[in-house]
Each structure stands twice: as structure tokens, then as C-alpha cells.
Amino acid sequence: SLFAAVENGAKWTLGHFLKEFGDSRRTDIVTFENFAHWYTDGGYKVAPWLELLDLAKLLSLLGDNGNDGKYSQSNAGKGADSPKRRDSPTPNSDVLFTFPLANNRSLVVLREDATYVRSVVEKMGLVQKSPEDVWGSLYGRMRSSDYHHRSSNGGSSSKTMEIDQNYFVGGIEKVIIPGSSGRNGNTTRGRNLSSSTKDTLVNFFQSFDLQQVGKVGLNQLMGGLTLLCGGKKSTKLAFAFGLFDNRSGRKDVDVSHEPGAHSLNGEELFLFLRSFLIVMFSCCRQSLDLSAEAVSRYIWETAQMVAEDVMRYQWHTRKSERVNFDEFGEWYNEGGFETAPWLELLDLHKWVLNDETWANQRAPPEPTSRPHSSPRSPYSYGIETPRQDDYPPPPPDEAVDPTFLGDMPMGSLDEMDYFLMQPSADKENDAIPANAFSRSPPQNRDSGHTASTESKAAGNSLKFNLVTNENHGGYMVSISQTRVRHFKQILTESGLCRIDAETACKQILSKASRNDKSQKKSKSFKKNNRMGAEEDTLTLTRDDFDSAMRTILAGGDGKSSMGATTQRVLSDLLGCIFDAFDRLQAGAPNAVEVACGFTVLCKGKKSDKLEYAFELLDADHDGKLSRQEMTNYLRSFLTALLSISNATCLENDESSDHMTTLNGTRCDRRTSTVGRAVDAGSKWAADQSFKASYKARRGSESSTFDDFAEWYTSVGYSSIPWLELLDLRKWVLAD
């Protein structure tokens, strides 16, 4: 019966895949990219068990009942021991939901977490109150107290006024028990809060006291309390939007949820999202198994990731730096629910107050015939979930084709590659297609079809995606093995592949001239391997470039073995590369960019070439590049690579030497077309690297080489896989 179940399950899944695949393809050959596209576009709901290939996800489903002591609550930002969240764990550790967080992490919600939250809301009675009721009472009490003059922006009625722990507990006690007087007053006997409820409120406050200063902004506390109040998710979100709208001139007490009444900038949106995440982690047993630092990092990175995604969407659609609630709802409905599905937990009826949550067993729903036609649902793994269409699953892992690095001789690896070979769980998912870089697998021998010579050549082509912000999403570049072999012949016979990259750069820059024709040729680069601040406008004429090439080739060991045909092809190829850098068609491109791009043809490790080129473009020697300089930096390499892939002087295979948009439209080989692709791809890549830098140092408009290297080895390798081609041993000189 087990064998039959496996066979039937595999055939059933295959049937779903082939139905989708057959509707959009005209071939019986299936590539890994085809399967990955199907899986990420809805197949994950047909075969959710594939997620269990990740051992970390499998282990997250296993209950941990081995701890028989008491648990200590882990605060989001505290390093000291925290008060206890609950006396002891409940025996049932079934997983209700698993939500994706930033950096390939997950928030795991157990059945016992729902039980705990239910006990809290029933004990405190907040579920019977709306967020507006709680805010009105709490805010009114704070305004009438001696705290009114401590507002963080100097106003007497600011929503951001900071209060201490005692005032918070006393204020909530006033909300829960209207007849009590809270702090500094006599509480009616028999109507005071229980010690366990007070402990819960203390834990709640300390979870928000990230700096351990004993004070927290009132709006942040209320944002978190919103989760424990009654009401629908949309109502709570609209209310909380008003809490974090800190524009001057706004009525601080007005937190109405009328459409468009409030809007948030990126910083305010970050605090808005963080307030919910802090409470969610405080309610989940998962936080007990993590250090306080780890919990704080998970929360910060996830809130930052979502806030950036919202603001990026807002800028792309409206060119606005603020987002109102209606616009936030539009983002959520158009895909944001996949980025921040944990916001569904704001509706307690979906997990805490839903009686179905406590049912012992329920059969999991069967996938529909067209899995991507309905909203995404969570993985159930045989565990019942309140509503199958409310929560999307964690996205599948993104990774470079393992054969790209896995089959490479160890001698060709450099420092960055060792980071790239670390487990994918340590790398951030940046919404890059899983097929970003690959060699197409050979044809299926069992398919019943005989592959033609043309098909075989295409099957071995080198392909990579060039992602851009254009409407079509970017380009797919394919380089045939015919072209690669010819390129290898030219480099080996000429000896260029044995020329040190730094030496070649110095020779090129020694021939460079100023924009001012009265200036003499610059000699500074013969003795200095950096470009000084005053040399950032050096240009190179075609004659200068040819002179540099003759000097470089004379210093190599290929002069005597280079035949006439090779000389002619090499001359044409170098001319093609020079013309590609001459974007203004003025006959004098930027010499530094030409030098950086030329390193693609020379020997050396990728990391060495990247670091040296970074130094060349660092005009003021401060160890940093601006956003535009980073764009130029990446553009120099991409210009050379696409020149090689499109040069008509190299042998080619029309079936596999091409560039198409990601929607399948074939591109011509005109210089202007390739130039647009280079500009768009390098700008997109620079923006991605700066986005990561912004996460580490908010607001910085410069990036060090270490910043870039850290981004590349953690996630950028999947965004710009073409950068791996800087090392000739990985494609041209590979066996």
C-alpha cells in the first residue's frame, strides 16, 4: 500500500505539471527551469511535500516536549533574563502555521501558542473592546497625567509620548477595570488585576523596550495591543495606521480609519509593522528557543524587508514617498499577502477564537486541478488549519544551479566562492528567479526523440538572466559552446588569458588623456595602481587603445603562435569592445571603465579583479563608491561580457547565441539594443546592492567593497550571476 501511495502521488503530481507545461510549451523536453517556474507559480500547492527536502523545515514541524522546566520569555530586544511567559509548556506542539520572514527564516505558530493567546485575551477581556476604545481610555489617562510634558516631539498631546512600565500597567488596568484607579490610587478591593495578568503586561512592555531605557512610545505599545483587541484585520490595520502618522499638524488623538485619512513614510511604516511582529514573537514558543539578539534581528530584518517592498511598490506606481491605508491595501492584495502573510494573525477569529482550531483532526483539502488559479494556501502536512486560503506558504529557496560551482576544480575557486558554497538557508531570498544562471541540461534520452545537432548545441549553451526594472523584467543571455570554444582559441593563441589583469589596466590607463586636448598624456598610472581624484575624466581614443593593446600583447607569450586569422579576429573583437564603451560615439570613452571591463579577458580570480576595479573607480580614495559609481563599476564588466556574447567576429550558433527578454521576445544585436540592456542591468544591480547596504546602515549613500562583497556572497550571486564570468577558468578555460 505504501508503494501504491508513492506511485499514485508521483503520477498525480506529474499529471498536474504536464497539464500546465503542455499548455504553454511546444516541446516534450523538460528543463529544471521549467519545473522551477511551475513550482513557484503554484506547483508548491500541488506538491507541498517537496518543501520537506529542506531538513530545517522538517525539523520545525517536530514538537519539542523534552523541556520539563519552566520557560523564560524572550524579549525582542533585551539581553538580560526576562520574566516567564507561562508556567509550563502544553503537551500539544502541533504546528498551525509557518510564515516566511526575511533571510529565509520562518515564524512557526504552534497550537499551544494559540492556546496561550486565547488565555491572555480572555483573562484581560480586551477582545471585547475595539482598539479605539482601548486607545481612547489609555491616551486620555496619559494626557491627564504628569507625562504630558514628556512628549518626544515637544507637543503636549503627542501619540509618541514615552511612558514607563508602571504607567502602562496602570493604564491598562484602568481599561480592564474601569473602577480601579491604577498607579498612585486606591484600587477597589477585589477588582485589581491578578498577578499573572500584571506579569503578562510587564512582559508585553519589556518586549517593546528595545533599548532597555525603561520607556516606550505610547503609539508603539498600542500598535502591539491592537492584535489582542477585537475586530477584523482590516479595521485594526486602518486604526494602527493613524497611530504612526507623525506628520506635524495632525491631530494626535485622531486615529480614525477613514480611507486616506493617514499616510506613513518608510520609517513610520517600519515601526507600524514592527509593533505587530514584536507581539507575535512574544506569543510564540519559538522565541523561547532563540536568543534575545536573534529574535530582535528576525523582527527588525522582516519589518525592514516588508517596509521597503511597500515603499518600492508605492514609488513605482505613484512616485510617492508616503503610503495611505488604501494604497497599503492595494499592495497587500496585489501580492503583499505573500510577503507579509503573518498580518492575517491580526484577526483572532482566524486562529485564536476559531473553534475549528481546537478540533482533533480534519482531512487536508485536495489541491485543485489548476493550482495557481486560487489564492495561495499554507502547507498543512496533515495538520488542520482554520482557513486554507488565508496563509501562503514559505516561498521555495532561491539558488544558483549547483552544477555551476559544484563541478569546478578547487584550483579555480576564490574567496567569494567559498561563501557561495555555504548552505542556502543562510542566504536571503531576494525574489530572483531560481534559474538565474545555468548550463542547460542535455536532452532527455528517454523522451523518444532524437536531438538534432542544433538542439544539442543549444542544450549545452551557457545562459544567465540579466534582471532589470523594465516592463519585461530583464533579459536572458545565451552563449553557445561554439562561441565559447572560438573565444578560448583567440585568448589562448594571443596569450591574453595569461596577462595579469592589473598589468593590463595600468597599460591602458597609461595611454589615457584628459578631456582637455591641451593636456599631455597621463603618466601617473605607470607608477600608481589607483586613479587619483583628479583623474576621473580620463578618456581613451581608438589609437590610444590600439597602442595599449600592442604593448599588452607584446608582454605576453602568445605573439609567436598567433596566426593571421587569430590576429584579425582579435582585432575585430577588441574593436567591438571599444565601440561598446563609446556610448556617446565621440571616439573617446571613459578610460577607467574600459580598463575595468578589459579585465574580463585577462587571467586572475574574480575577487581580485573586483577589488582592483573597485579601487580604480574610487576617485577620492575614501574606500567607498557612490550609487552612480557602483553602476559604472558593474556596467564596465557587463559591457565587456555582452560585447563578447554579441560580437559577429566570433563563430556562433544561431539557435543558441541570442538575447531575449524574459517574456520571450528575441532582441536584435544592434549596439543600441545591447547598450540599453547593459545600462538597465547594471543600474538594477547597483540598486540591489545599495538596498542591502541601506539595511545595514540606514540612509547611507555610499558602499565599501566589503559591503558589496557581503551582499554578493549572501544574495547577490543569484541576482547578478554573470559576475562569475570574470574568472575565465569558470567558463572559457574550463575543461
Side-chain angles (χ1 to χ4, degrees), residues 27-85:
T27 176
D28 295 328
I29 304 302
V30 177
T31 67
F32 176 74
E33 289 84 354
N34 299 148
F35 181 79
H37 184 270
W38 167 80
Y39 185 77
T40 57
D41 198 34
Y44 62 88
K45 292 196 295 185
V46 177
W49 41 268
L50 283 174
E51 288 298 307
L52 300 183
L53 291 174
D54 188 333
L55 187 59
K57 294 179 180 179
L58 177 61
L59 295 178
S60 71
L61 300 176
L62 303 179
D64 180 9
N65 297 320
N67 296 314
D68 55 3
K70 296 183 178 180
Y71 284 75
S72 295
Q73 172 66 16
S74 175
N75 289 330
K78 296 182 73 65
D81 292 337
S82 305
K84 300 168 185 174
R85 186 188 86 167

Side-chain angles (χ1 to χ4, degrees), residues 130-428:
S130 68
E132 291 89 342
D133 292 338
V134 176
W135 172 252
S137 178
L138 186 61
Y139 184 80
R141 182 177 188 276
M142 295 305 112
R143 286 191 63 190
S144 63
S145 72
D146 60 350
Y147 262 84
H148 72 278
H149 67 280
R150 303 185 185 184
S151 169
S152 62
N153 64 3
S156 62
S157 59
S158 173
K159 294 172 291 192
T160 61
M161 70 170 75
E162 294 185 340
I163 62 174
D164 64 22
Q165 177 179 298
N166 289 336
Y167 256 84
F168 172 71
V169 174
I172 296 300
E173 184 174 10
K174 186 76 172 179
V175 173
I176 298 174
I177 308 175
S180 66
S181 58
R183 185 187 182 196
N184 301 328
N186 296 321
T187 303
T188 304
R189 178 175 296 182
R191 301 197 65 189
N192 56 315
L193 294 177
S194 65
S195 59
S196 62
T197 301
K198 287 186 176 180
D199 286 344
T200 299
L201 292 173
V202 169
N203 290 340
F204 183 94
F205 181 92
Q206 292 180 351
S207 295
F208 282 85
D209 187 11
L210 304 179
Q211 305 301 322
Q212 303 184 53
V213 295
K215 295 180 181 179
V216 178
L218 184 58
N219 62 335
Q220 297 183 45
L221 292 167
M222 186 62 224
L225 279 174
T226 301
L227 185 144
L228 303 178
C229 295
K232 296 180 179 179
K233 173 196 67 183
S234 58
T235 302
K236 293 182 178 182
L237 286 171
F239 165 79
F241 240 74
L243 290 174
F244 291 90
D245 184 358
N246 294 326
R247 288 175 293 174
S248 59
R250 307 292 296 179
K251 290 180 62 178
D252 289 302
V253 74
D254 177 20
V255 290
S256 64
H257 49 268
E258 296 178 4
H262 299 280
S263 66
L264 308 179
N265 61 23
E267 177 66 22
E268 293 164 347
L269 185 63
F270 166 80
L271 296 174
F272 164 82
L273 296 164
R274 190 184 67 175
S275 68
F276 300 135
L277 284 167
I278 288 175
V279 178
M280 290 173 188
F281 265 91
S282 298
C283 293
C284 292
R285 190 182 118 181
Q286 177 185 6
S287 64
L288 304 177
D289 301 323
L290 298 170
S291 67
E293 180 184 359
V295 173
S296 181
R297 185 172 64 254
Y298 286 18
I299 291 171
W300 192 95
E301 291 175 349
T302 302
Q304 187 69 22
M305 175 193 72
V306 177
E308 287 181 356
D309 191 61
V310 174
M311 300 313 297
R312 188 162 50 245
Y313 171 87
Q314 181 70 352
W315 182 257
H316 178 73
T317 56
R318 298 178 177 85
K319 294 297 185 289
S320 173
E321 294 183 352
R322 298 189 70 87
V323 57
N324 65 34
F325 179 69
D326 286 343
E327 294 160 349
F328 178 80
E330 180 182 306
W331 164 83
Y332 189 80
N333 292 329
E334 292 189 6
F337 64 88
E338 299 179 12
T339 305
W342 37 266
L343 285 173
E344 294 295 323
L345 296 182
L346 285 171
D347 191 339
L348 296 178
H349 288 280
K350 293 184 177 180
W351 64 299
V352 172
L353 304 179
N354 188 346
D355 290 337
E356 289 186 5
T357 301
W358 319 112
N360 291 328
Q361 198 170 14
R362 189 176 70 179
E366 294 184 359
T368 59
S369 59
R370 294 185 65 84
H372 65 279
S373 62
S374 59
R376 292 193 175 185
S377 60
Y379 297 126
S380 60
Y381 302 116
I383 300 170
E384 50 89 15
T385 55
R387 299 187 183 184
Q388 74 171 66
D389 59 348
D390 281 333
Y391 308 102
D397 295 330
E398 310 288 352
V400 174
D401 182 356
T403 62
F404 180 63
L405 291 176
D407 295 336
M408 200 173 298
M410 291 302 292
S412 68
L413 301 180
D414 61 26
E415 293 81 355
M416 283 187 174
D417 293 329
Y418 289 109
F419 287 101
L420 290 178
M421 296 172 70
Q422 297 303 310
S424 61
D426 296 333
K427 297 176 173 63
E428 179 181 358

Side-chain angles (χ1 to χ4, degrees), residues 671-701:
T671 303
S672 58
T673 302
V674 177
R676 281 197 304 272
V678 168
D679 289 343
S682 54
K683 184 180 185 304
W684 184 90
D687 289 343
Q688 295 301 304
S689 69
F690 265 77
K691 182 181 72 171
S693 178
Y694 175 79
K695 290 178 180 178
R697 299 181 318 283
R698 301 167 73 180
S700 174
E701 278 301 315

Side-chain angles (χ1 to χ4, degrees), residues 473-487:
Y475 304 85
M476 192 280 289
V477 179
S478 176
I479 308 175
S480 70
Q481 285 301 302
T482 301
R483 179 176 292 269
V484 172
R485 284 193 294 268
H486 193 203
F487 183 48

Side-chain angles (χ1 to χ4, degrees), residues 575-630:
C576 178
I577 293 174
F578 180 87
D579 291 342
F581 280 97
D582 187 16
R583 297 177 184 84
L584 301 179
Q585 299 183 7
N590 184 296
V592 178
E593 290 191 35
V594 173
C596 293
F598 189 78
T599 62
V600 173
L601 285 70
C602 302
K603 78 171 182 179
K605 296 179 180 179
K606 170 195 64 195
S607 55
D608 291 341
K609 293 180 180 181
L610 286 171
E611 186 170 12
Y612 181 69
F614 194 97
E615 293 178 350
L616 286 180
L617 283 162
D618 179 15
D620 55 5
H621 293 216
D622 65 348
K624 300 176 183 178
L625 296 184
S626 66
R627 190 182 295 265
Q628 183 57 53
E629 289 172 332
M630 181 65 74

